[in-house]
Amino acid sequence: MGVTPEKAEELIDKLKNGEVLDADVLSPEKAVKTIKSVNGDIVKITYFFPDGSAAQTEYTDPSVVTNTLKDNKTISTIIPQSISGGSCTTVTYTTTCKNRKVSYQLATYGFSFYANYTIVGPYYDSIQWAGNWNIWVAGGTYTNPSMRIIRATETDSAKAEARLSATINLSGGYSSISRSLSLLVGNDSATDRWNSYY
């Protein structure tokens, strides 16, 4: 991801000391540097954090287009997140997305899964399916993988959520950490969230 060999050694030492990398716990808004690359309709963004660690997201541009009516005019809103591939179709106020890939990747491990969801302008949004997940760990292992739909339909107080969770066992047996990747569908948009919990 563009981390220099010297910086990589520093980050390895940090992990060996039981510390957590900034990329694991900080949101992309806390990155000190970002690099964006475009290949066709796929946009890849690499985020570099204060300690030199990096994370990467990838999305299709436009990722999701939702149509709302304002002053008798239809307004389209593009919501770019690390959600790519698959297809989305919009009829009236309903956007149906199928086989969309949700992914989050760090230098040492990454999570991804696919989902079908529906965004309905004036009503509650929902997730119909989430699966075909993948977790990879460079030089380590993972245990306790769990792919589940936490909430199938948005409520007044919470978005619909699908979550892939696992315990990551980093190389050398130095530390085990719980991480998860969520797809959140609600408020007429689909977004992803990287979590430092199971």
Side-chain angles (χ1 to χ4, degrees), residues 88-101:
C88 291
T89 57
T90 301
V91 178
T92 315
Y93 296 109
T94 301
T95 299
T96 302
C97 295
K98 295 185 179 296
N99 210 33
R100 299 284 278 159
K101 183 180 181 182

Side-chain angles (χ1 to χ4, degrees), residues 147-161:
M147 175 81 255
R148 61 212 187 276
I149 294 179
I150 305 292
R151 188 176 305 99
T153 303
E154 176 187 18
T155 66
D156 287 335
S157 59
K159 295 181 178 183
E161 180 180 358

